[in-house]
Amino acid sequence: MNILLANPNTTASMTRRMEAAASAVVGPDTRITAVTAPYGPPSVEGYYDEALCVPPLLEAVVPLARGADGVVVGCFDDTGVDALRCRLDVPVIGICQAAMQSAAVLSNTFSVITTLQRAVPALERLALHYGFERRCRRIRAAEVPVLDLEDPDSGALAVIEDEIERALEDDGAEAIVLGCAGMVEFSRILSAKFGVPVIEGVTAAVKTVEGLAALGLKTSSRGGYAPPRRKTYSGDFARFSPE
Amino acid sequence: MNILLANPNTTASMTRRMEAAASAVVGPDTRITAVTAPYGPPSVEGYYDEALCVPPLLEAVVPLARGADGVVVGCFDDTGVDALRCRLDVPVIGICQAAMQSAAVLSNTFSVITTLQRAVPALERLALHYGFERRCRRIRAAEVPVLDLEDPDSGALAVIEDEIERALEDDGAEAIVLGCAGMVEFSRILSAKFGVPVIEGVTAAVKTVEGLAALGLKTSSRGGYAPPRRKTYSGDFARFSPE
Amino acid sequence: MNILLANPNTTASMTRRMEAAASAVVGPDTRITAVTAPYGPPSVEGYYDEALCVPPLLEAVVPLARGADGVVVGCFDDTGVDALRCRLDVPVIGICQAAMQSAAVLSNTFSVITTLQRAVPALERLALHYGFERRCRRIRAAEVPVLDLEDPDSGALAVIEDEIERALEDDGAEAIVLGCAGMVEFSRILSAKFGVPVIEGVTAAVKTVEGLAALGLKTSSRGGYAPPRRKTYSGDFARFSPE
Amino acid sequence: MNILLANPNTTASMTRRMEAAASAVVGPDTRITAVTAPYGPPSVEGYYDEALCVPPLLEAVVPLARGADGVVVGCFDDTGVDALRCRLDVPVIGICQAAMQSAAVLSNTFSVITTLQRAVPALERLALHYGFERRCRRIRAAEVPVLDLEDPDSGALAVIEDEIERALEDDGAEAIVLGCAGMVEFSRILSAKFGVPVIEGVTAAVKTVEGLAALGLKTSSRGGYAPPRRKTYSGDFARFSPE
Amino acid sequence: MNILLANPNTTASMTRRMEAAASAVVGPDTRITAVTAPYGPPSVEGYYDEALCVPPLLEAVVPLARGADGVVVGCFDDTGVDALRCRLDVPVIGICQAAMQSAAVLSNTFSVITTLQRAVPALERLALHYGFERRCRRIRAAEVPVLDLEDPDSGALAVIEDEIERALEDDGAEAIVLGCAGMVEFSRILSAKFGVPVIEGVTAAVKTVEGLAALGLKTSSRGGYAPPRRKTYSGDFARFSPE
Amino acid sequence: MNILLANPNTTASMTRRMEAAASAVVGPDTRITAVTAPYGPPSVEGYYDEALCVPPLLEAVVPLARGADGVVVGCFDDTGVDALRCRLDVPVIGICQAAMQSAAVLSNTFSVITTLQRAVPALERLALHYGFERRCRRIRAAEVPVLDLEDPDSGALAVIEDEIERALEDDGAEAIVLGCAGMVEFSRILSAKFGVPVIEGVTAAVKTVEGLAALGLKTSSRGGYAPPRRKTYSGDFARFSPE
């Protein structure tokens, strides 16, 4: 089985970290192909970056996805997931939905620790969209920029630990969801340290897609995820025209 | 006062119709500047088109908006509105939010008549996001492609009338919201025909933004609409880098 | 255009302040006619005052409204708005709905600063009714009686500032809504001081109604806002009989 | 124990029917005192009537309530209940809340059969306010004016039976709530006929208040139901001034 | 009238306390029959105990209920209530639903004080199920094991008082609901001490059932509470086979 | 990896069908151990059966689970899942949650086809509990008893097909969830026939648990799923005492 893991930002080192984590958890017959956005924002921090990372993501993913059995979007904003579901028939999931659904199996309530306050409203909207507006008690910003997570000396981990402590004390959270692909390796350390499930979305998403693909399930092509109507896009975006 | 009215699809005739409608309703001191997406999809019909119309929209709007007092996005998916709110400090609104908020003043309940079934889930998500999941009784697809609305011989109006009839009979709707910028001229005819408010978003949005601008109100720069962090986008999208 | 601005309490000085604020923001062709409740409670602070201010409001507004293009009810409880919508065909709005709808365009989340704790449940009910139970993070009582807002020496502004500070720190509010007509002049000062939109309902409502009237939109007469059935009221209230 | 049963409309025959039904179900030591609104609308059919029946209701009830152990408002719009809860310390309930709470004990889901479509939005708002927006599957209007329920030859019962049939077939309702005080005697006949609980609010409310009073429970005076602040109402309504 | 009051745990002293409290509030013609679970957990503290107390509860209640006019389940998890509603036609209520419904008559908002944190998610689920997810502001655990409530020297009351204080200060609660049958005697003391309604479920439930039975109302046998289909259970549970 | 698949009813043939389906989809290193409830109801059809199948389920599963890496409860009521999550530290999931979560990845909206109307309220409650009250458009009862699904000549499949057709036409469902473990083999046939994802919970649950276990994730032991407090159960249920 082939799973395409797409990083919608252009930071290749983050892609490599996601790929390593993903490869460590899939079955023996599953191959992870990781792809980095070929151009655009180096990190996704809020609505504006989010909007601009989708076309490069689609450009990278759609051709590669032909041979894939499932696609994971490695950004906690689940950027471009709906557009991809229209273009592909294999299962597509973002790491936010995957992590929240996993948390909903392992706990009654959870809090999310994400990077920056400016990202919080978009994540609250996702929590509502996915049905977790009651279980997700709070989305906490550690105020760590995404790319600081690439730097082991940034002190990011300590700040995240502080937020987890507050989530457990103040929010009534029974589990923690890490709200950024850049936190991909922190899950086990933090689970061990705090004695609660600390769920990371990249690995959760890869296993979810691997499972759905094994069941032969496809994305619905009825309704909102119907393939886009054939039409000719103009100018710079002619290459995106749905054939 | 200057209001920028942006059509996120590339169909200039639709922009002109919107501009005409908007110009007819603004105050004597308000000037409408209409802009058409410079490249990309000719119509927005579902998640995929939606994702691809945002960069051209941003590219057209952001520079022009410097002299504007408010911005209206003329697409019922409210495409790119959140990204624009991050980049601009003047009020920005999409025609879905404007129409639904107007309906909420004039009625207890309403139904939306939109173009295609594939657009419905995105609109249901907007209704929820804007807080109208209870008042908005149903989003009905007339199964009319967007560009058929440009063609007076397409029979689109008759199909829309049928759906309005069903909305009034079956949904308990007290008002109707027209769910596509391409329906911009139908509002008065249909209001008269059915004896209920039939609300069209382009004009509703222009008046909303005109009102907010007259009050000197700006988009919040705290939280989710904070200006994007300065960073260098790469490749084709370098030009979008938030300065 | 004529807009009727009705103060449902009997305090004429408050009406004059509202009228001044409203007149300053309308278009050159719009005239504000302000009316004060002819009898009843001098201020509306909770459910009991609310119930008793409606008949005088209706008595003052209904005859005057014949020449009006829209009506604004200048009380944050939106008192009597539904009854007026039944009697009139022009747009009618209360300042709570107007302010919250404005906040929903300018921010992802907001908190309300109102006068007294006893008013909070009624306002929470309105937030829910208007669809803002998620965006409205908290309704905070400054514990300032309404009429203290008439007195510049009451210290009311300082207390309101304290609550705004707490709303921004603790509630994750991106904007502030002033929850009493008596705070009508505070909007610009507080916006400037806190660097976030501080939205005041009287002016927001006047612009909303002005916009809807310019579009030729009327209140729906189908369903909940149908004109009252003709019947003869008895005794003291015979004069209210719907003709 | 004394329970005050107040009819907020002026139709004394309806009060007598309610009183008879109520008296038949209370305990041997409970006395029902029924009171009819001394002036105002003869029936409550929508928001306008609703607003105008509150002052006469308050005028009749507040003085009488001093000797009462609980108060029931016999109108399915629960008109004036919040204002009364502010003025009185004994339990006060409207027949809508009582009937819906009873239905929630006896069934998983219910539909309401009320009189006129114009009343439906106000009842939907109550269902939401009381927490029954999921269990209450639909509020159906039989299109029977309230006072037709006073007339055995009006054919009202047959029309109500039709709506109950549809509610059981189409809404998935497990129980029926009768949505008007004028239907007070229909409960047992219809329960027997349809083999499901058909719940009537006057009797449900009387038993609820009798129960709460027996427990020595009072309305909270903290927050929204705090006694109104002492102030002088002017003119015609001076007599309503909260002392 | 006969009301069966069932304690789903095996602690007979708790049953006796409930019975005493219940007997003190019913009408002169109502007899309380109290029954203790014949085997199983001595206290219900979380999902596991909850699951295991239902069969003994059913075994004790179903035969006895034949002569009863209504049944109360004296555990704040409302354990077994749905199963009993299927087997019996008389009204059945748990003390959580009864207490929350009473609180919704006497206040706009309430908080629950329960025993242990592990019980909170189940109670939050009940609050949602009964429609009180907005009014119920918080479910607070006093961290007092259930059986400590049997021991006057446990200091339980003081800890509960602390939580009530915090609920009134921090949650905006206007009333308090005691979230465990073991707190049955605390209601009046605490109401007096804090000057707000402190509602206890056993007595609230008994009065609710007494009221519904007086109205001749039965549990719906249509839909979810239909009598179980006749089938033969095997082995140890053959005795539970629905006949 | 070992996954324990537990059938909470006593029908061994159903267990075998589930086991076969599960074994066909797991990875090469995963072993399914299937267990049938040792006593109790032969099928779970509504609240009463549900309550009575939990103790045998716990009795069968808890000891066996010591060697397992995850547990699946093969009943669409997700019976006993919460109790098991308290007793075990490995991931536990029911087939309702698993199927609904899968549907939420593959579609915007879905309907459930279950067996009997009496089961519907419990499933609606689960849909709400899991956060799918908006996406799950309707839970449809085919009125096929559970054990008819064991009999290929019962005509059950045809009836289910009829309901799927109606769900696609009338509910706006983009995917179908099969709402009973007894429908375990129907998924692929029906997916092919209707051209939409038809999701079956047993296989979905097994893959979910396999995925979570591969990630080393455990059920939270903080809060609602904390291990039960040590206590001595009495009588027949002494053997269930949490050690």
Side-chain angles (χ1 to χ4, degrees), chain F:
Chain F
M1 185 185 300
N2 297 304
I3 294 177
L4 191 58
L5 168 59
N7 178 6
N9 75 35
T10 59
T11 303
S13 57
M14 193 181 295
T15 316
R16 281 192 299 272
R17 291 167 54 218
M18 288 196 246
E19 183 179 16
S23 300
V25 298
V26 290
D29 299 333
T30 301
R31 203 164 44 101
I32 298 291
T33 306
V35 59
T36 304
Y39 54 93
S43 59
V44 178
E45 298 170 319
Y47 289 122
Y48 182 78
D49 292 340
E50 213 181 283
L52 272 315
C53 72
V54 178
L57 174 78
L58 295 171
E59 193 163 352
V61 167
V62 173
L64 277 176
R66 283 183 224 286
D69 299 288
V71 174
V72 166
V73 174
C75 174
F76 204 79
D77 292 355
D78 289 4
T79 329
V81 163
D82 290 307
L84 282 170
R85 285 178 180 159
C86 295
R87 286 303 303 271
L88 308 175
D89 61 356
V90 295
V92 180
I93 198 168
I95 66 175
C96 174
Q97 186 176 20
M100 288 188 176
Q101 293 202 158
S102 297
V105 177
L106 302 170
S107 66
N108 292 283
T109 56
F110 59 87
S111 282
V112 174
I113 316 298
T114 192
T115 52
L116 299 171
Q117 186 61 35
R118 74 185 57 217
V120 170
L123 301 190
E124 288 179 341
R125 200 189 296 193
L126 283 182
L128 177 64
H129 177 57
Y130 294 138
F132 298 117
E133 71 273 21
R134 291 181 296 269
R135 289 170 179 261
C136 176
R137 291 302 156 101
R138 191 161 163 186
I139 298 177
R140 291 176 166 273
E143 292 309 325
V144 173
V146 170
L147 296 183
D148 281 17
L149 296 166
E150 297 289 291
D151 169 10
D153 299 332
S154 68
L157 189 60
V159 186
I160 289 167
E161 288 177 358
D162 281 0
E163 284 299 321
I164 292 179
E165 224 152 67
R166 260 169 285 174
L168 297 178
E169 283 317 301
D170 299 351
D171 307 352
E174 296 180 6
I176 298 296
V177 165
L178 297 177
C180 178
M183 302 176 185
V184 67
E185 300 95 348
F186 300 173
S187 171
R188 289 195 184 227
I189 316 169
L190 293 169
S191 282
K193 171 152 193 174
F194 289 100
V196 297
V198 177
I199 296 153
E200 183 282 314
V202 176
T203 48
V206 162
K207 294 306 288 183
T208 301
V209 150
E210 195 184 30
L212 293 171
L215 300 177
L217 288 167
K218 307 276 185 199
T219 299
S220 181
S221 62
R222 186 185 180 91
Y225 297 136
R229 297 184 73 224
R230 205 163 298 180
K231 61 184 74 166
T232 306
Y233 288 12
S234 65
D236 271 19
F237 274 13
R239 65 187 186 276
F240 290 104
S241 304
E243 68 278 19

Side-chain angles (χ1 to χ4, degrees), chain A residues 10 39-43 45 47-49 51-52 54-56 58 82-83 86-87 116 118 121 125 128-129 145 223-229 231-237 239-240 242, chain B residues 10 39-43 45 47-49 51-52 54-56 58 82-83 86-87 116 118 121 125 128-129 145 223-229 231-237 239-240 242:
Chain A
T10 60
Y39 54 93
S43 59
E45 297 170 320
Y47 289 122
Y48 183 79
D49 294 339
L52 271 315
V54 179
L58 295 171
D82 291 305
C86 295
R87 286 303 302 273
L116 299 171
R118 72 186 59 215
R125 200 188 298 191
L128 176 64
H129 178 56
Y225 297 136
R229 298 185 70 226
K231 61 183 74 166
T232 306
Y233 288 13
S234 65
D236 272 22
F237 276 13
R239 67 188 186 274
F240 289 103
Chain B
T10 60
Y39 54 93
S43 60
E45 298 171 318
Y47 290 122
Y48 182 79
D49 294 339
L52 271 315
V54 180
L58 295 171
D82 291 305
C86 295
R87 286 304 303 273
L116 300 171
R118 72 186 58 216
R125 200 188 297 191
L128 176 65
H129 178 56
Y225 296 136
R229 296 183 74 225
K231 60 183 74 166
T232 306
Y233 288 13
S234 64
D236 273 20
F237 274 14
R239 67 187 184 276
F240 288 104

Side-chain angles (χ1 to χ4, degrees), chain A residues 73-196:
Chain A
V73 174
C75 173
F76 204 79
D77 293 356
D78 288 3
T79 329
V81 163
D82 291 305
L84 283 170
R85 284 178 180 160
C86 295
R87 286 303 302 273
L88 307 175
D89 61 357
V90 295
V92 181
I93 197 169
I95 66 176
C96 174
Q97 187 176 20
M100 288 187 176
Q101 293 202 157
S102 298
V105 178
L106 302 170
S107 66
N108 292 283
T109 56
F110 59 87
S111 282
V112 174
I113 316 297
T114 191
T115 52
L116 299 171
Q117 186 60 35
R118 72 186 59 215
V120 170
L123 301 190
E124 288 179 341
R125 200 188 298 191
L126 283 182
L128 176 64
H129 178 56
Y130 294 137
F132 298 118
E133 72 273 22
R134 292 181 294 269
R135 289 171 178 261
C136 176
R137 290 303 155 102
R138 189 159 166 190
I139 298 178
R140 292 176 165 271
E143 292 309 324
V144 173
V146 171
L147 297 183
D148 280 18
L149 297 166
E150 297 290 288
D151 170 10
D153 299 333
S154 68
L157 189 60
V159 185
I160 291 165
E161 287 177 358
D162 281 0
E163 285 299 321
I164 292 179
E165 223 150 70
R166 262 169 284 176
L168 297 177
E169 284 314 302
D170 298 351
D171 306 351
E174 297 180 6
I176 298 295
V177 166
L178 296 177
C180 178
M183 302 176 184
V184 66
E185 300 96 346
F186 301 170
S187 170
R188 290 199 182 225
I189 315 169
L190 294 169
S191 282
K193 172 152 192 172
F194 289 99
V196 297

Side-chain angles (χ1 to χ4, degrees), chain C residues 45 48-49 118 227 231 233, chain D residues 45 49 118 227 231 233 240:
Chain C
E45 298 170 320
Y48 182 78
D49 293 339
R118 73 185 59 215
K231 62 184 73 165
Y233 289 12
Chain D
E45 298 170 318
D49 293 339
R118 72 186 59 217
K231 61 183 75 167
Y233 288 12
F240 290 104

